[in-house]
C-alpha cells in the first residue's frame, strides 16, 4: 500500500507558532531559507526514489517561481497551501475566497498545470470554518487535506472520518484526505508527521504510522515542512516556551528520521494515492458539522 508524502512549502518565520512575534508585513525582512531547504528535500526524495505532493504557499511561489518549476520538473505534484498562511477561522469568507483563488492562479501561471489539491494553514478547516470547503469546490479544487480528526487547541474535527472520504455540499463534492491518526486505547493519536514526528522518538512514529495504516492495508498521509530539516535557521525571539518547544524541538534529528521513514514505508503523491483509493464514503457538509 502506497502512502502520500506531502511537504508544506513555507519558510520558518511563517508558521502559526510564531505568529505573535513575526508580523505578516515583516516577512520580507527575514532571511529566506525555504528554497535551499526544499531543494535538499528534493535531493532526498531522488535518493529514495520517492515522489510527493508539495503544498506551496502563494507568497513563497511569487518570490521563488523557479523553485516551483523545479519541483514539477523533478516529477512531483503541486498543490495550494493558500497565500498568506492566516488561519481560515480568523478570516472572512470573502478574504479566504480571494486569497485562495490568488494562490491557485499563481501556481497555475508558473506551472501551466491545473491545481486540484489544497491544504489549509495549520489544518484550520474546523467546524467554525467548514464554509471554506464550499469555497474550495467552487474554485475548482477536487481534493483537500486540511481536516485533522483529533482534539487540538488550534485545529481538528474530532468526530470526522480518519480515511479518505467524499464531502458533498450544495456546490458539488470534494475528496478529503484526513491527516493520519492512530487509534490507541480508544483515543485518536496524531501520527501524520510535523511537530509530532520531531517530538516522538522514531520507533513510536513508526509504530503509530504502521498501526494507523492497518499494517499497510490503508493509505495514510505524512507531512513535513522544509524548515523542519534546518537546525541552523535563525531563532525567533519573544515567543512563549510552548511555541519554542513546538517549533524548535529536534530539528537536528528530523532529516535522519525522514530518511528512516522513507526506508520503512512506501510513498508517492496524493494524486497517485487517490487514484487507487476508495473514497465512496460520502458525508454531507452539514453532517460533518453536526456530528462534531
Ligand atoms: Zn503551513
Amino acid at each position: 500500500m502506497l502512502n502520500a508524502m506531502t511537504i508544506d512549502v513555507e519558510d520558518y518565520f511563517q508558521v502559526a507558532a510564531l505568529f505573535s512575534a513575526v508580523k505578516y508585513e515583516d516577512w520580507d525582512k527575514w532571511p529566506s531559507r525555504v528554497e535551499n531547504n526544499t531543494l535538499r528535500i528534493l535531493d532526498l526524495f531522488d535518493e529514495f526514489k520517492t515522489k510527493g505532493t508539495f503544498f506551496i504557499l502563494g507568497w513563497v511561489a511569487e518570490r521563488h517561481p523557479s523553485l516551483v518549476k523545479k519541483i514539477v520538473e523533478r516529477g512531483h505534484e503541486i498543490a495550494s497551501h493558500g497565500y498568506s498562511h492566516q488561519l481560515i477561522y480568523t478570516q472572512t469568507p470573502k478574504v479566504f475566497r480571494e486569497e485562495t483563488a490568488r494562490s491557485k492562479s499563481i501556481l497555475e501561471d508558473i506551472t501551466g498545470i491545473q491545481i486540484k489539491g489544497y491544504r489549509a494553514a495549520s489544518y484550520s478547516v474546523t467546524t467554525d470554518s467548514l464554509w471554506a470547503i464550499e469555497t474550495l469546490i467552487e474554485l475548482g479544487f477536487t481534493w483537500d487535506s486540511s481536516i485533522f480528526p483529533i482534539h487540538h487547541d488550534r485545529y481538528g474535527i474530532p468526530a470526522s472520518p480518519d480515511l479518505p472520504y467524499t464531502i458533498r455540499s450544495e456546490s458539488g463534492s470534494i475528496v478529503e484526505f484526513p491527516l493520519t491518526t492512530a487509534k490507541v486505547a480508544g483515543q485518536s493519536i496524531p501520527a501524520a508527521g510535523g511537530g509530532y514526528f520531531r517530538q516522538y522518538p522514531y520507533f513510536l512514529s513508526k509504530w503509530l504510522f504502521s498501526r494507523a495504516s492497518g499494517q499497510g492495508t490503508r493509505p495514510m498521509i505524512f507531512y513535513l515542512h522544509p524548515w523542519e530539516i534546518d537546525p541552523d535557521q535563525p531563532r525567533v525571539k519573544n515567543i512563549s516556551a510552548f511555541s519554542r518547544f513546538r517549533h524548535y524541538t529536534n530539528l537536528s534529528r528530523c532529516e535522519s528520521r525522514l530518511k528512516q521513514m522513507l526506508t520503512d514505508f512506501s510513498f508517492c503523491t496524493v494524486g497517485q494515492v487517490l487514484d487507487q483509493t476508495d473514497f465512496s464514503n460520502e458525508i454531507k457538509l452539514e453532517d460533518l458539522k453536526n456530528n462534531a
Side-chain angles (χ1 to χ4, degrees):
M1 178 65 70
L2 288 168
N3 303 290
M5 171 55 71
T6 68
I7 302 293
D8 295 353
V9 181
E10 67 204 33
D11 228 322
Y12 62 97
F13 51 82
Q14 296 173 320
V15 306
L18 308 179
F19 264 179
S20 60
V22 182
K23 288 199 200 86
Y24 174 76
E25 298 74 43
D26 293 336
W27 279 3
D28 269 320
K29 295 179 189 160
W30 290 80
S32 174
R33 299 174 71 89
V34 68
E35 181 140 1
N36 281 344
N37 291 334
T38 306
L39 291 175
R40 281 174 54 212
I41 287 177
L42 289 175
D43 289 345
L44 206 64
F45 284 0
D46 281 352
E47 190 185 328
F48 286 85
K49 299 186 171 43
T50 297
K51 299 290 184 236
T53 298
F54 289 70
F55 296 90
I56 306 178
L57 201 63
W59 193 95
V60 169
E62 266 181 349
R63 287 157 180 80
H64 304 274
S66 65
L67 175 65
V68 179
K69 284 186 186 146
K70 274 182 202 149
I71 295 170
V72 174
E73 281 161 16
R74 288 168 77 162
H76 303 284
E77 181 180 34
I78 299 282
S80 169
H81 194 33
Y83 184 84
S84 68
H85 214 263
Q86 308 301 301
L87 304 171
I88 296 180
Y89 48 77
T90 66
Q91 291 184 309
T92 63
K94 183 170 179 283
V95 169
F96 173 74
R97 174 183 290 269
E98 283 165 3
E99 81 148 65
T100 307
R102 182 180 179 194
S103 78
K104 189 170 187 281
S105 42
I106 290 168
L107 293 173
E108 288 176 345
D109 288 349
I110 295 170
T111 64
I113 298 168
Q114 195 199 341
I115 301 300
K116 298 177 178 171
Y118 177 82
R119 175 172 287 154
S122 297
Y123 315 102
S124 55
V125 175
T126 65
T127 50
D128 291 334
S129 53
L130 272 175
W131 47 261
I133 293 290
E134 197 103 47
T135 308
L136 292 175
I137 295 168
E138 286 162 10
L139 292 176
F141 290 96
T142 60
W143 61 267
D144 171 67
S145 179
S146 303
I147 299 183
F148 224 134
I150 54 161
H151 287 282
H152 186 277
D153 60 340
R154 255 199 320 259
Y155 50 75
I157 302 181
S160 60
D162 57 2
L163 288 172
Y165 57 103
T166 299
I167 303 175
R168 183 160 293 283
S169 80
E170 282 172 11
S171 313
S173 62
I174 192 166
V175 174
E176 177 64 32
F177 199 154
L179 281 306
T180 300
T181 56
K183 281 267 186 307
V184 182
Q187 297 290 315
S188 289
I189 310 291
Y196 306 105
F197 185 65
R198 283 182 290 115
Q199 287 148 25
Y200 301 157
Y202 180 73
F203 74 86
L204 179 59
S205 290
K206 183 181 173 183
W207 183 77
L208 286 171
F209 200 79
S210 176
R211 185 178 174 94
S213 73
Q215 276 65 47
T217 59
R218 297 188 287 256
M220 290 294 129
I221 193 163
F222 184 83
Y223 74 88
L224 220 54
H225 303 89
W227 56 264
E228 290 185 285
I229 60 158
D230 181 13
D232 299 326
Q233 63 190 265
R235 293 301 188 258
V236 175
K237 296 193 175 70
N238 301 321
I239 56 171
S240 69
F242 188 46
S243 292
R244 201 174 309 124
F245 172 76
R246 269 188 177 160
H247 191 82
Y248 296 118
T249 299
N250 288 337
L251 291 175
S252 61
R253 292 189 168 141
C254 194
E255 186 171 352
S256 63
R257 287 180 179 175
L258 175 60
K259 287 182 183 173
Q260 282 191 283
M261 203 65 195
L262 294 169
T263 307
D264 291 335
F265 299 94
S266 300
F267 291 100
C268 61
T269 68
V270 173
Q272 287 168 328
V273 172
L274 290 180
D275 279 346
Q276 53 175 45
T277 299
D278 172 20
F279 42 79
S280 55
N281 174 23
E282 194 172 288
I283 297 189
K284 285 188 187 149
L285 189 60
E286 60 262 34
D287 290 343
L288 202 53
K289 185 162 191 166
N290 296 338
N291 295 344

